[in-house]
Amino acid sequence: MVPFGGYSMPVQYADLGVGESHKWTREKASLFDVGHMVQHRLSGPGAAPLLETITPSSTASLPIDHSTLSCLLNPANGGIVDDTVITRLGPELFYLVTNAACKANDIAYLEEQIESRDTSHGTVEWEILNDWGLIALQGPLSADVLQQALVTAGVEDVDLKALYFGQCKHVKLSLSPQQSSDPDTPVLISRGGYTGEDGFEISIPPALTVLFTTHLLESGGRERLRLAGLGARDSLRLEAGMCLYGHDLDDNTTPVEAGLSWIVHKDRRASGGFHGDETILRQLRPAKDGGSAPKHRRVGLIVEGAPAREGAEIIDPASPNSVEVVGRVTSGCPSPTLGKNIAMGYIRAPLHKAGSQIEVLVRGKRRKAEVVKMPFVKSQYWKETTGTAPS
Amino acid sequence: MLMQEKRYTEDHEWIELSQDGKTGTIGVSVYAAKSLGDVVFVELPALDLEVTAGDSMGAVESVKSASDILTPVSGKIIEANNVLQEKPGTINKSPEGDGWIARIEVKDGGEVDKLMSMDAYAKFTAE
């Protein structure tokens, strides 16, 4: 158990080590308790305009029951205050999940942003879903496990094959209602996650959290479904090329520098109107149109020999006799899937280009490394056009 | 070679002195190997490296973490277990046997006497 975001959380469970739990998730299904993460609801006529000010996302092009990765932006410099997933639940209702480690900072930020907003857009109601559960079911068997658990929870009319990556659905369970004080409150099932595998994140009202999670574990059975902790969560997200806030992202780093330009929605690139738009849009514009590319960017690395971890210096191999630091590793581990050492870090342009040969200093030794495209392991999302999950 | 009784550190290394007390074999304990998980890389000490008790002389890497190997005693490294370069998993299979890490020329035999006996270490890890 380790302290994490104000909670005491398991790195691994007793039955599987980190590497084993990692492989289990890629082959079967794992359940992660991510109830430490902070769930918010923003509603009212001012909610969409607020989100268009504090994030680079386009609420206008986010349909109801769809989610998008986004970030809260630092008004001073376009840095990332936190990364978040925004889900639209109604014309004027949004659901956000933010990081536990950023909770106090995010609350102060949102309070200030809501108070200082342009009130001509109308009111914003903001609620933190304290005591709500959040679990992540991840891995190729997730859909089968969840479908079966829903059927045995009295849900006959939900077909998960029709719920694609990035979509969500409210589902009302019939789980021993006498044990529950709010049996009519639905759970919210979102297809996606933090491992690169097919899977679901399920937001559960307080009275149903333990009941439904236990039901899911029993229904899945130990042959298919195991609990997984922070250790596997970290190595899985790294293989998927996904960022961990406070390590790979911070409030001095823009989405462009972080290799997340795609979260700056194309509809927002002409108009701007979000925090840090001047900096961010200048970094996106070609030089001939007055733009200036960022001086450093987040990249993926494959490191020979020793694994490179957070803090390791990236050095220029062109200076074999002196240490010319050109970047820094922000996370890294041996990849259980690839059997190679993977890492991500920030590196000076133009060395950020895939194929660049660089070196990483690990315990004083220079190790050869190459800049590679991410994800390191191909994602297996359930998409309308490419869905290949077993029937 | 006849060996003296194995001794343990609070950082979960062991050392076993040769009968004449001049050299010692160093490794990590069964307890440490279990808590590390699958070892995927071992950084071995360089030959002739002069170390002081408590210095980092190498590292053991698993998916979960990197852990320094601290030398239990002062001296000079005279051999490293090169098997671990090709087969780092030997540390999991036999941490207190084939998975030894290095041999050291011991500078001060008195340092060994300060370490824990097998019984004392068993009590220490049970706490």
Side-chain angles (χ1 to χ4, degrees), chain B residues 58-105:
Chain B
V60 180
E61 300 253 13
S62 65
V63 176
K64 192 164 55 174
S65 63
S67 307
D68 284 330
I69 307 159
L70 309 180
T71 175
V73 298
S74 309
K76 188 170 84 175
I77 302 295
I78 51 170
E79 192 181 351
N81 186 3
N82 289 318
V83 168
L84 300 178
Q85 287 188 328
E86 290 300 313
K87 293 180 177 168
T90 310
I91 289 204
N92 297 104
K93 288 192 196 100
S94 177
E96 303 202 20
D98 293 344
W100 62 276
I101 289 164
R103 292 213 165 91
I104 188 167
E105 193 177 276

mmCIF file of all heavy atoms in Angstrom, chain B residues 58-105:
data_model
loop_
_atom_site.group_PDB
_atom_site.id
_atom_site.type_symbol
_atom_site.label_atom_id
_atom_site.label_comp_id
_atom_site.label_asym_id
_atom_site.label_seq_id
_atom_site.Cartn_x
_atom_site.Cartn_y
_atom_site.Cartn_z
ATOM 1 N N GLY B 58 25.419 -1.169 -7.424
ATOM 2 C CA GLY B 58 24.686 -1.681 -8.572
ATOM 3 C C GLY B 58 23.207 -1.476 -8.350
ATOM 4 O O GLY B 58 22.813 -0.777 -7.411
ATOM 5 N N ALA B 59 22.399 -2.076 -9.219
ATOM 6 C CA ALA B 59 20.958 -1.897 -9.090
ATOM 7 C C ALA B 59 20.223 -3.089 -9.675
ATOM 8 O O ALA B 59 20.738 -3.788 -10.545
ATOM 9 C CB ALA B 59 20.517 -0.619 -9.778
ATOM 10 N N VAL B 60 19.024 -3.303 -9.140
ATOM 11 C CA VAL B 60 18.152 -4.372 -9.621
ATOM 12 C C VAL B 60 16.857 -3.712 -10.088
ATOM 13 O O VAL B 60 16.260 -2.934 -9.356
ATOM 14 C CB VAL B 60 17.848 -5.370 -8.481
ATOM 15 C CG1 VAL B 60 16.952 -6.482 -8.987
ATOM 16 C CG2 VAL B 60 19.131 -5.947 -7.937
ATOM 17 N N GLU B 61 16.447 -4.022 -11.317
ATOM 18 C CA GLU B 61 15.259 -3.369 -11.880
ATOM 19 C C GLU B 61 14.154 -4.391 -12.121
ATOM 20 O O GLU B 61 14.382 -5.440 -12.718
ATOM 21 C CB GLU B 61 15.613 -2.725 -13.236
ATOM 22 C CG GLU B 61 16.704 -1.675 -13.148
ATOM 23 C CD GLU B 61 16.172 -0.263 -13.318
ATOM 24 O OE1 GLU B 61 14.932 -0.077 -13.265
ATOM 25 O OE2 GLU B 61 17.009 0.640 -13.504
ATOM 26 N N SER B 62 12.943 -4.045 -11.679
ATOM 27 C CA SER B 62 11.753 -4.818 -12.041
ATOM 28 C C SER B 62 10.788 -3.850 -12.723
ATOM 29 O O SER B 62 11.089 -2.659 -12.837
ATOM 30 C CB SER B 62 11.116 -5.425 -10.795
ATOM 31 O OG SER B 62 10.639 -4.400 -9.953
ATOM 32 N N VAL B 63 9.628 -4.354 -13.193
ATOM 33 C CA VAL B 63 8.652 -3.455 -13.827
ATOM 34 C C VAL B 63 8.310 -2.335 -12.865
ATOM 35 O O VAL B 63 8.221 -1.163 -13.229
ATOM 36 C CB VAL B 63 7.368 -4.228 -14.213
ATOM 37 C CG1 VAL B 63 6.328 -3.273 -14.774
ATOM 38 C CG2 VAL B 63 7.695 -5.302 -15.236
ATOM 39 N N LYS B 64 8.169 -2.728 -11.585
ATOM 40 C CA LYS B 64 7.681 -1.813 -10.558
ATOM 41 C C LYS B 64 8.687 -0.728 -10.208
ATOM 42 O O LYS B 64 8.318 0.422 -10.058
ATOM 43 C CB LYS B 64 7.360 -2.663 -9.318
ATOM 44 C CG LYS B 64 6.598 -1.982 -8.240
ATOM 45 C CD LYS B 64 6.004 -2.995 -7.241
ATOM 46 C CE LYS B 64 7.037 -3.935 -6.636
ATOM 47 N NZ LYS B 64 6.439 -4.781 -5.579
ATOM 48 N N SER B 65 9.986 -1.112 -10.062
ATOM 49 C CA SER B 65 10.920 -0.129 -9.512
ATOM 50 C C SER B 65 12.371 -0.473 -9.801
ATOM 51 O O SER B 65 12.692 -1.570 -10.240
ATOM 52 C CB SER B 65 10.740 -0.047 -7.990
ATOM 53 O OG SER B 65 11.070 -1.299 -7.409
ATOM 54 N N ALA B 66 13.244 0.504 -9.516
ATOM 55 C CA ALA B 66 14.688 0.291 -9.535
ATOM 56 C C ALA B 66 15.161 0.335 -8.093
ATOM 57 O O ALA B 66 14.809 1.250 -7.371
ATOM 58 C CB ALA B 66 15.367 1.391 -10.335
ATOM 59 N N SER B 67 15.936 -0.675 -7.675
ATOM 60 C CA SER B 67 16.428 -0.679 -6.304
ATOM 61 C C SER B 67 17.947 -0.751 -6.314
ATOM 62 O O SER B 67 18.529 -1.613 -6.976
ATOM 63 C CB SER B 67 15.897 -1.899 -5.545
ATOM 64 O OG SER B 67 14.501 -1.966 -5.654
ATOM 65 N N ASP B 68 18.576 0.146 -5.568
ATOM 66 C CA ASP B 68 20.033 0.109 -5.447
ATOM 67 C C ASP B 68 20.454 -1.112 -4.646
ATOM 68 O O ASP B 68 19.753 -1.537 -3.737
ATOM 69 C CB ASP B 68 20.526 1.372 -4.722
ATOM 70 C CG ASP B 68 20.508 2.586 -5.645
ATOM 71 O OD1 ASP B 68 20.682 2.401 -6.864
ATOM 72 O OD2 ASP B 68 20.304 3.711 -5.146
ATOM 73 N N ILE B 69 21.602 -1.664 -5.020
ATOM 74 C CA ILE B 69 22.221 -2.706 -4.191
ATOM 75 C C ILE B 69 23.321 -2.014 -3.402
ATOM 76 O O ILE B 69 24.240 -1.430 -3.979
ATOM 77 C CB ILE B 69 22.843 -3.822 -5.063
ATOM 78 C CG1 ILE B 69 21.813 -4.369 -6.055
ATOM 79 C CG2 ILE B 69 23.388 -4.934 -4.180
ATOM 80 C CD1 ILE B 69 22.453 -5.076 -7.236
ATOM 81 N N LEU B 70 23.209 -2.066 -2.082
ATOM 82 C CA LEU B 70 24.180 -1.389 -1.234
ATOM 83 C C LEU B 70 25.165 -2.426 -0.701
ATOM 84 O O LEU B 70 24.758 -3.478 -0.212
ATOM 85 C CB LEU B 70 23.470 -0.693 -0.072
ATOM 86 C CG LEU B 70 22.286 0.211 -0.463
ATOM 87 C CD1 LEU B 70 21.662 0.853 0.769
ATOM 88 C CD2 LEU B 70 22.724 1.299 -1.452
ATOM 89 N N THR B 71 26.446 -2.120 -0.802
ATOM 90 C CA THR B 71 27.417 -3.100 -0.314
ATOM 91 C C THR B 71 27.375 -3.164 1.216
ATOM 92 O O THR B 71 27.380 -2.131 1.879
ATOM 93 C CB THR B 71 28.849 -2.797 -0.818
ATOM 94 O OG1 THR B 71 29.726 -3.730 -0.192
ATOM 95 C CG2 THR B 71 29.295 -1.386 -0.484
ATOM 96 N N PRO B 72 27.339 -4.374 1.766
ATOM 97 C CA PRO B 72 27.279 -4.519 3.224
ATOM 98 C C PRO B 72 28.590 -4.142 3.903
ATOM 99 O O PRO B 72 28.583 -3.800 5.076
ATOM 100 C CB PRO B 72 26.993 -6.015 3.429
ATOM 101 C CG PRO B 72 26.602 -6.554 2.091
ATOM 102 C CD PRO B 72 27.231 -5.672 1.076
ATOM 103 N N VAL B 73 29.695 -4.235 3.159
ATOM 104 C CA VAL B 73 31.008 -3.955 3.759
ATOM 105 C C VAL B 73 31.880 -3.145 2.793
ATOM 106 O O VAL B 73 31.600 -3.072 1.599
ATOM 107 C CB VAL B 73 31.780 -5.264 4.099
ATOM 108 C CG1 VAL B 73 31.014 -6.089 5.130
ATOM 109 C CG2 VAL B 73 32.031 -6.093 2.848
ATOM 110 N N SER B 74 32.965 -2.591 3.325
ATOM 111 C CA SER B 74 33.908 -1.844 2.495
ATOM 112 C C SER B 74 34.887 -2.815 1.827
ATOM 113 O O SER B 74 35.132 -3.897 2.348
ATOM 114 C CB SER B 74 34.701 -0.865 3.368
ATOM 115 O OG SER B 74 33.805 -0.103 4.142
ATOM 116 N N GLY B 75 35.429 -2.385 0.700
ATOM 117 C CA GLY B 75 36.411 -3.230 0.038
ATOM 118 C C GLY B 75 36.501 -2.944 -1.447
ATOM 119 O O GLY B 75 36.114 -1.869 -1.914
ATOM 120 N N LYS B 76 37.049 -3.959 -2.178
ATOM 121 C CA LYS B 76 37.248 -3.801 -3.620
ATOM 122 C C LYS B 76 36.509 -4.935 -4.345
ATOM 123 O O LYS B 76 36.651 -6.102 -3.971
ATOM 124 C CB LYS B 76 38.743 -3.833 -3.946
ATOM 125 C CG LYS B 76 39.038 -3.489 -5.390
ATOM 126 C CD LYS B 76 40.530 -3.282 -5.613
ATOM 127 C CE LYS B 76 41.227 -4.614 -5.844
ATOM 128 N NZ LYS B 76 42.650 -4.472 -6.189
ATOM 129 N N ILE B 77 35.736 -4.581 -5.385
ATOM 130 C CA ILE B 77 34.988 -5.591 -6.149
ATOM 131 C C ILE B 77 35.978 -6.409 -6.984
ATOM 132 O O ILE B 77 36.764 -5.836 -7.756
ATOM 133 C CB ILE B 77 33.947 -4.925 -7.079
ATOM 134 C CG1 ILE B 77 32.966 -4.047 -6.278
ATOM 135 C CG2 ILE B 77 33.212 -5.981 -7.907
ATOM 136 C CD1 ILE B 77 32.086 -4.779 -5.306
ATOM 137 N N ILE B 78 35.934 -7.739 -6.828
ATOM 138 C CA ILE B 78 36.883 -8.571 -7.581
ATOM 139 C C ILE B 78 36.206 -9.461 -8.625
ATOM 140 O O ILE B 78 36.859 -10.028 -9.489
ATOM 141 C CB ILE B 78 37.744 -9.457 -6.631
ATOM 142 C CG1 ILE B 78 36.838 -10.225 -5.657
ATOM 143 C CG2 ILE B 78 38.759 -8.606 -5.878
ATOM 144 C CD1 ILE B 78 37.591 -11.279 -4.860
ATOM 145 N N GLU B 79 34.875 -9.585 -8.539
ATOM 146 C CA GLU B 79 34.162 -10.404 -9.519
ATOM 147 C C GLU B 79 32.704 -9.989 -9.522
ATOM 148 O O GLU B 79 32.148 -9.650 -8.478
ATOM 149 C CB GLU B 79 34.300 -11.896 -9.140
ATOM 150 C CG GLU B 79 33.838 -12.839 -10.230
ATOM 151 C CD GLU B 79 33.961 -14.316 -9.811
ATOM 152 O OE1 GLU B 79 34.554 -14.612 -8.761
ATOM 153 O OE2 GLU B 79 33.421 -15.165 -10.542
ATOM 154 N N ALA B 80 32.083 -10.007 -10.728
ATOM 155 C CA ALA B 80 30.643 -9.750 -10.815
ATOM 156 C C ALA B 80 30.006 -10.969 -11.465
ATOM 157 O O ALA B 80 30.644 -11.646 -12.274
ATOM 158 C CB ALA B 80 30.372 -8.496 -11.641
ATOM 159 N N ASN B 81 28.772 -11.264 -11.117
ATOM 160 C CA ASN B 81 28.099 -12.454 -11.642
ATOM 161 C C ASN B 81 27.496 -12.153 -13.023
ATOM 162 O O ASN B 81 26.353 -11.728 -13.141
ATOM 163 C CB ASN B 81 27.008 -12.901 -10.673
ATOM 164 C CG ASN B 81 26.383 -14.214 -11.109
ATOM 165 O OD1 ASN B 81 26.798 -14.812 -12.105
ATOM 166 N ND2 ASN B 81 25.374 -14.652 -10.380
ATOM 167 N N ASN B 82 28.304 -12.419 -14.064
ATOM 168 C CA ASN B 82 27.883 -12.047 -15.420
ATOM 169 C C ASN B 82 26.676 -12.825 -15.927
ATOM 170 O O ASN B 82 26.046 -12.410 -16.894
ATOM 171 C CB ASN B 82 29.059 -12.189 -16.389
ATOM 172 C CG ASN B 82 30.101 -11.113 -16.143
ATOM 173 O OD1 ASN B 82 29.745 -9.956 -15.919
ATOM 174 N ND2 ASN B 82 31.363 -11.484 -16.139
ATOM 175 N N VAL B 83 26.350 -13.940 -15.272
ATOM 176 C CA VAL B 83 25.141 -14.694 -15.630
ATOM 177 C C VAL B 83 23.911 -13.776 -15.585
ATOM 178 O O VAL B 83 22.988 -13.891 -16.380
ATOM 179 C CB VAL B 83 24.958 -15.886 -14.657
ATOM 180 C CG1 VAL B 83 23.588 -16.522 -14.807
ATOM 181 C CG2 VAL B 83 26.059 -16.911 -14.885
ATOM 182 N N LEU B 84 23.949 -12.816 -14.646
ATOM 183 C CA LEU B 84 22.786 -11.949 -14.452
ATOM 184 C C LEU B 84 22.545 -10.996 -15.615
ATOM 185 O O LEU B 84 21.455 -10.467 -15.777
ATOM 186 C CB LEU B 84 22.928 -11.152 -13.149
ATOM 187 C CG LEU B 84 23.038 -11.993 -11.869
ATOM 188 C CD1 LEU B 84 23.228 -11.088 -10.659
ATOM 189 C CD2 LEU B 84 21.794 -12.861 -11.695
ATOM 190 N N GLN B 85 23.581 -10.764 -16.442
ATOM 191 C CA GLN B 85 23.397 -9.898 -17.613
ATOM 192 C C GLN B 85 22.476 -10.548 -18.629
ATOM 193 O O GLN B 85 21.628 -9.894 -19.214
ATOM 194 C CB GLN B 85 24.753 -9.568 -18.250
ATOM 195 C CG GLN B 85 25.539 -8.591 -17.396
ATOM 196 C CD GLN B 85 26.787 -8.089 -18.082
ATOM 197 O OE1 GLN B 85 27.401 -8.820 -18.865
ATOM 198 N NE2 GLN B 85 27.169 -6.872 -17.796
ATOM 199 N N GLU B 86 22.663 -11.848 -18.818
ATOM 200 C CA GLU B 86 21.827 -12.582 -19.771
ATOM 201 C C GLU B 86 20.539 -13.062 -19.112
ATOM 202 O O GLU B 86 19.488 -13.086 -19.725
ATOM 203 C CB GLU B 86 22.599 -13.791 -20.326
ATOM 204 C CG GLU B 86 23.734 -13.421 -21.251
ATOM 205 C CD GLU B 86 23.260 -12.642 -22.468
ATOM 206 O OE1 GLU B 86 22.268 -13.076 -23.094
ATOM 207 O OE2 GLU B 86 23.861 -11.594 -22.778
ATOM 208 N N LYS B 87 20.642 -13.479 -17.846
ATOM 209 C CA LYS B 87 19.491 -14.074 -17.152
ATOM 210 C C LYS B 87 19.239 -13.386 -15.816
ATOM 211 O O LYS B 87 19.502 -13.953 -14.753
ATOM 212 C CB LYS B 87 19.738 -15.573 -16.928
ATOM 213 C CG LYS B 87 19.770 -16.359 -18.229
ATOM 214 C CD LYS B 87 20.003 -17.815 -17.956
ATOM 215 C CE LYS B 87 19.961 -18.614 -19.271
ATOM 216 N NZ LYS B 87 20.458 -19.968 -19.097
ATOM 217 N N PRO B 88 18.705 -12.140 -15.879
ATOM 218 C CA PRO B 88 18.454 -11.405 -14.624
ATOM 219 C C PRO B 88 17.462 -12.126 -13.716
ATOM 220 O O PRO B 88 17.505 -11.971 -12.496
ATOM 221 C CB PRO B 88 17.900 -10.054 -15.099
ATOM 222 C CG PRO B 88 17.505 -10.249 -16.525
ATOM 223 C CD PRO B 88 18.343 -11.355 -17.072
ATOM 224 N N GLY B 89 16.589 -12.968 -14.318
ATOM 225 C CA GLY B 89 15.588 -13.704 -13.540
ATOM 226 C C GLY B 89 16.192 -14.708 -12.569
ATOM 227 O O GLY B 89 15.496 -15.226 -11.685
ATOM 228 N N THR B 90 17.513 -14.993 -12.720
ATOM 229 C CA THR B 90 18.197 -15.889 -11.781
ATOM 230 C C THR B 90 18.056 -15.352 -10.350
ATOM 231 O O THR B 90 18.041 -16.122 -9.391
ATOM 232 C CB THR B 90 19.688 -16.008 -12.164
ATOM 233 O OG1 THR B 90 19.761 -16.301 -13.558
ATOM 234 C CG2 THR B 90 20.385 -17.119 -11.385
ATOM 235 N N ILE B 91 17.960 -14.036 -10.229
ATOM 236 C CA ILE B 91 17.796 -13.430 -8.899
ATOM 237 C C ILE B 91 16.493 -13.886 -8.252
ATOM 238 O O ILE B 91 16.431 -14.100 -7.047
ATOM 239 C CB ILE B 91 17.869 -11.886 -8.986
ATOM 240 C CG1 ILE B 91 19.318 -11.483 -9.288
ATOM 241 C CG2 ILE B 91 17.343 -11.232 -7.710
ATOM 242 C CD1 ILE B 91 19.710 -10.106 -8.869
ATOM 243 N N ASN B 92 15.429 -14.048 -9.054
ATOM 244 C CA ASN B 92 14.161 -14.525 -8.493
ATOM 245 C C ASN B 92 14.223 -16.020 -8.170
ATOM 246 O O ASN B 92 13.679 -16.471 -7.176
ATOM 247 C CB ASN B 92 12.999 -14.258 -9.458
ATOM 248 C CG ASN B 92 12.789 -12.781 -9.696
ATOM 249 O OD1 ASN B 92 13.156 -12.266 -10.747
ATOM 250 N ND2 ASN B 92 12.234 -12.091 -8.728
ATOM 251 N N LYS B 93 14.905 -16.770 -9.044
ATOM 252 C CA LYS B 93 14.951 -18.224 -8.869
ATOM 253 C C LYS B 93 15.831 -18.610 -7.691
ATOM 254 O O LYS B 93 15.517 -19.517 -6.943
ATOM 255 C CB LYS B 93 15.486 -18.893 -10.143
ATOM 256 C CG LYS B 93 14.491 -18.847 -11.285
ATOM 257 C CD LYS B 93 14.925 -19.764 -12.438
ATOM 258 C CE LYS B 93 14.170 -19.437 -13.707
ATOM 259 N NZ LYS B 93 14.960 -18.597 -14.644
ATOM 260 N N SER B 94 16.957 -17.925 -7.546
ATOM 261 C CA SER B 94 17.931 -18.336 -6.528
ATOM 262 C C SER B 94 18.679 -17.120 -5.983
ATOM 263 O O SER B 94 19.873 -16.950 -6.219
ATOM 264 C CB SER B 94 18.915 -19.318 -7.183
ATOM 265 O OG SER B 94 19.913 -19.682 -6.271
ATOM 266 N N PRO B 95 17.967 -16.255 -5.252
ATOM 267 C CA PRO B 95 18.595 -14.993 -4.812
ATOM 268 C C PRO B 95 19.784 -15.209 -3.883
ATOM 269 O O PRO B 95 20.712 -14.415 -3.873
ATOM 270 C CB PRO B 95 17.457 -14.255 -4.094
ATOM 271 C CG PRO B 95 16.429 -15.291 -3.779
ATOM 272 C CD PRO B 95 16.551 -16.352 -4.831
ATOM 273 N N GLU B 96 19.754 -16.308 -3.108
ATOM 274 C CA GLU B 96 20.846 -16.515 -2.151
ATOM 275 C C GLU B 96 21.784 -17.636 -2.611
ATOM 276 O O GLU B 96 22.554 -18.179 -1.841
ATOM 277 C CB GLU B 96 20.278 -16.767 -0.752
ATOM 278 C CG GLU B 96 19.370 -15.614 -0.311
ATOM 279 C CD GLU B 96 19.175 -15.496 1.191
ATOM 280 O OE1 GLU B 96 20.015 -16.034 1.936
ATOM 281 O OE2 GLU B 96 18.196 -14.854 1.595
ATOM 282 N N GLY B 97 21.705 -17.984 -3.910
ATOM 283 C CA GLY B 97 22.585 -19.010 -4.467
ATOM 284 C C GLY B 97 23.143 -18.523 -5.798
ATOM 285 O O GLY B 97 23.952 -17.597 -5.843
ATOM 286 N N ASP B 98 22.643 -19.120 -6.919
ATOM 287 C CA ASP B 98 23.142 -18.759 -8.254
ATOM 288 C C ASP B 98 22.934 -17.288 -8.602
ATOM 289 O O ASP B 98 23.573 -16.771 -9.508
ATOM 290 C CB ASP B 98 22.421 -19.607 -9.323
ATOM 291 C CG ASP B 98 22.791 -21.080 -9.212
ATOM 292 O OD1 ASP B 98 23.799 -21.370 -8.549
ATOM 293 O OD2 ASP B 98 22.063 -21.915 -9.786
ATOM 294 N N GLY B 99 22.014 -16.630 -7.896
ATOM 295 C CA GLY B 99 21.719 -15.222 -8.195
ATOM 296 C C GLY B 99 22.586 -14.247 -7.418
ATOM 297 O O GLY B 99 22.236 -13.072 -7.293
ATOM 298 N N TRP B 100 23.750 -14.721 -6.901
ATOM 299 C CA TRP B 100 24.672 -13.787 -6.218
ATOM 300 C C TRP B 100 25.068 -12.666 -7.168
ATOM 301 O O TRP B 100 25.025 -12.836 -8.395
ATOM 302 C CB TRP B 100 25.906 -14.537 -5.675
ATOM 303 C CG TRP B 100 26.765 -15.196 -6.734
ATOM 304 C CD1 TRP B 100 26.563 -16.416 -7.299
ATOM 305 C CD2 TRP B 100 27.934 -14.648 -7.374
ATOM 306 N NE1 TRP B 100 27.527 -16.676 -8.245
ATOM 307 C CE2 TRP B 100 28.382 -15.609 -8.317
ATOM 308 C CE3 TRP B 100 28.648 -13.444 -7.246
ATOM 309 C CZ2 TRP B 100 29.507 -15.403 -9.119
ATOM 310 C CZ3 TRP B 100 29.774 -13.249 -8.046
ATOM 311 C CH2 TRP B 100 30.186 -14.218 -8.962
ATOM 312 N N ILE B 101 25.475 -11.533 -6.628
ATOM 313 C CA ILE B 101 25.718 -10.373 -7.490
ATOM 314 C C ILE B 101 27.204 -10.087 -7.702
ATOM 315 O O ILE B 101 27.643 -9.873 -8.824
ATOM 316 C CB ILE B 101 24.977 -9.139 -6.926
ATOM 317 C CG1 ILE B 101 23.475 -9.372 -7.161
ATOM 318 C CG2 ILE B 101 25.420 -7.850 -7.618
ATOM 319 C CD1 ILE B 101 22.575 -8.493 -6.380
ATOM 320 N N ALA B 102 27.986 -10.103 -6.614
ATOM 321 C CA ALA B 102 29.410 -9.772 -6.772
ATOM 322 C C ALA B 102 30.239 -10.377 -5.649
ATOM 323 O O ALA B 102 29.705 -10.774 -4.611
ATOM 324 C CB ALA B 102 29.592 -8.255 -6.790
ATOM 325 N N ARG B 103 31.559 -10.456 -5.889
ATOM 326 C CA ARG B 103 32.500 -10.855 -4.846
ATOM 327 C C ARG B 103 33.380 -9.656 -4.508
ATOM 328 O O ARG B 103 33.737 -8.866 -5.394
ATOM 329 C CB ARG B 103 33.357 -12.041 -5.312
ATOM 330 C CG ARG B 103 32.545 -13.302 -5.473
ATOM 331 C CD ARG B 103 33.327 -14.578 -5.143
ATOM 332 N NE ARG B 103 32.371 -15.672 -4.971
ATOM 333 C CZ ARG B 103 31.977 -16.480 -5.977
ATOM 334 N NH1 ARG B 103 32.484 -16.343 -7.185
ATOM 335 N NH2 ARG B 103 31.083 -17.426 -5.754
ATOM 336 N N ILE B 104 33.688 -9.539 -3.238
ATOM 337 C CA ILE B 104 34.416 -8.362 -2.760
ATOM 338 C C ILE B 104 35.620 -8.786 -1.925
ATOM 339 O O ILE B 104 35.555 -9.796 -1.206
ATOM 340 C CB ILE B 104 33.449 -7.454 -1.944
ATOM 341 C CG1 ILE B 104 34.092 -6.120 -1.581
ATOM 342 C CG2 ILE B 104 32.940 -8.166 -0.693
ATOM 343 C CD1 ILE B 104 33.075 -5.103 -1.056
ATOM 344 N N GLU B 105 36.696 -8.048 -2.060
ATOM 345 C CA GLU B 105 37.860 -8.239 -1.196
ATOM 346 C C GLU B 105 37.596 -7.384 0.049
ATOM 347 O O GLU B 105 37.500 -6.161 -0.053
ATOM 348 C CB GLU B 105 39.107 -7.739 -1.938
ATOM 349 C CG GLU B 105 40.422 -8.120 -1.338
ATOM 350 C CD GLU B 105 41.547 -7.607 -2.229
ATOM 351 O OE1 GLU B 105 41.897 -8.302 -3.224
ATOM 352 O OE2 GLU B 105 42.046 -6.490 -1.975
#
